[in-house]
């Protein structure tokens, strides 16, 4: 986590230096008499937005560190799958992965990215089925996974530049981890049992073919 924060600090420093350099050169460019071409001089707002995005990500990482949430860790759900919080393309996200997935790769899906996509869809289907397929389920007090992903990745729209505070992102990450790792949660256990059933049948089928 500390290494990621240091990398972000370095990126912010370089972008700020680059912005200063551009501003200096822009002043020189405006002094040239070719006023008709001034619209071609690049604006600074795109650099400012990149710096803002990096600072936002840094805030999230620092809060994760304060909460002692380790994003390098795989949060084991059962014998077959785990939850992983990850950094991707300068934002926070999550996905489900498979433990010891060699037998699935060799016999069913010959692609590690395909395996990840498949298990994510499987967990989402089970989660929506038993937790309620809605943006917010008041009876269970839990968002659906698409809603969680939107919050954690801080999806933007054309009306709101930034939708979710770092505190909201951290809260959602904690809720996800707690839900899938709490073996006393009845809804979670139903989901895990269904996933176990599917995997055990897949293994049984392989054994019968041998």
């Amino acid at each position: 986590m500390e290494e990621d924060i240091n990398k972000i600090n370095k990126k912010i420093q370089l972008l700020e230096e680059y912005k200063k350099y551009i501003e200096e050169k822009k002043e020189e460019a405006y002094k040239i008499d070719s006023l008709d071409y001034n619209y071609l001089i690049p604006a600074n707002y795109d650099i400012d937005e990149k710096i803002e995005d990096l600072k936002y990500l840094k805030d999230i990482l620092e809060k994760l560190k304060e909460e002692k949430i380790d994003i390098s860790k795989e949060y084991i759900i059962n014998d077959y799958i785990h939850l992983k919080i990850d950094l991707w393309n300068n934002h926070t996200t999550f996905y489900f992965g498979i433990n010891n997935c060699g037998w699935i790769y060799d016999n069913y899906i010959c692609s590690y990215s395909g395996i990840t996509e498949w298990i994510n869809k499987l967990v989402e289907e089970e989660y929506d089925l038993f937790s309620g397929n809605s943006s917010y389920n008041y009876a269970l007090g839990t968002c659906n996974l698409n809603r969680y992903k939107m919050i954690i990745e801080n999806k933007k729209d054309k009306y709101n530049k930034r939708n979710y505070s770092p505190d909201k992102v951290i809260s959602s990450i904690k809720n996800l981890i707690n839900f899938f790792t709490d073996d006393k949660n009845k809804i979670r256990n139903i989901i895990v049992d269904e996933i176990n059933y599917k995997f055990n049948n897949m293994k049984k089928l392989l054994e019968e073919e041998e």
Side-chain angles (χ1 to χ4, degrees):
M1 190 92 70
E2 193 65 40
E3 183 180 353
D4 289 319
I5 293 172
N6 290 336
K7 286 179 181 178
I8 289 173
N9 280 331
K10 184 63 177 177
K11 286 183 179 181
I12 292 172
Q13 178 187 344
L14 290 172
L15 279 176
E16 288 176 339
E17 291 173 0
Y18 177 68
K19 178 184 173 184
K20 183 178 179 181
Y21 171 80
I22 290 293
E23 287 173 345
E24 292 172 354
K25 295 303 177 183
K26 186 185 293 186
E27 289 181 11
E28 294 179 22
Y30 277 128
K31 290 177 183 177
I32 300 173
D33 289 333
S34 304
L35 296 177
D36 290 341
Y37 301 102
N38 277 347
Y39 71 92
L40 294 174
I41 298 172
N44 286 339
Y45 64 82
D46 53 342
I47 303 174
D48 290 335
E49 185 173 343
K50 294 296 183 186
I51 292 173
E52 183 182 337
D53 288 344
L54 287 168
K55 287 181 177 178
Y56 172 81
L57 180 60
K58 178 184 171 184
D59 285 345
I60 289 175
L61 291 177
E62 287 178 338
K63 288 181 181 296
L64 284 169
K65 184 179 176 182
E66 289 174 10
E67 295 286 343
K68 294 182 171 55
I69 299 174
D70 185 0
I71 60 172
S72 67
K73 178 181 176 180
E74 295 178 351
Y75 292 90
I76 301 300
I77 297 174
N78 64 0
D79 291 341
Y80 298 118
I81 62 174
H82 62 264
L83 169 68
K84 184 75 169 66
I85 312 298
D86 201 10
L87 296 180
W88 182 82
N89 196 24
N90 281 340
H91 67 250
T92 323
T93 188
F94 71 87
Y95 64 87
F96 298 92
I98 298 185
N99 312 324
N100 305 316
C101 62
W103 62 280
I104 294 177
Y105 182 92
D106 293 338
N107 296 280
Y108 291 105
I109 306 172
C110 301
S111 162
Y112 287 110
S113 61
I115 290 172
T116 301
E117 183 178 346
W118 170 70
I119 191 63
N120 271 272
K121 186 174 181 180
L122 174 62
V123 175
E124 286 171 8
E125 288 174 349
E126 298 296 341
Y127 187 97
D128 286 344
L129 178 63
F130 294 105
S131 296
N133 189 9
S134 60
S135 62
Y136 191 84
N137 188 301
Y138 290 92
L140 296 169
T142 179
C143 296
N144 67 22
L145 292 186
N146 288 333
R147 180 71 169 167
Y148 272 129
K149 190 171 286 288
M150 184 170 65
I151 293 171
I152 293 172
E153 293 185 0
N154 191 47
K155 295 294 187 183
K156 301 177 184 177
D157 58 42
K158 63 181 179 180
Y159 302 109
N160 298 300
K161 186 176 181 183
R162 178 119 10 239
N163 291 331
Y164 303 105
S165 69
D167 286 334
K168 178 67 173 176
V169 173
I170 301 306
S171 175
S172 296
I173 290 174
K174 288 171 69 176
N175 286 345
L176 265 179
I177 293 172
N178 290 339
F179 180 87
F180 280 105
T181 57
D182 180 10
D183 59 9
K184 295 179 181 177
N185 185 314
K186 293 181 180 179
I187 299 297
R188 176 262 186 202
N189 289 341
I190 291 173
I191 294 169
V192 169
D193 287 345
E194 289 295 315
I195 292 171
N196 279 336
Y197 176 78
K198 287 180 171 63
F199 274 78
N200 289 334
N201 278 351
M202 290 168 67
K203 276 197 167 184
K204 184 179 178 181
L205 180 63
L206 286 176
E207 292 169 357
E208 291 173 353
E209 291 178 348
E210 290 178 354

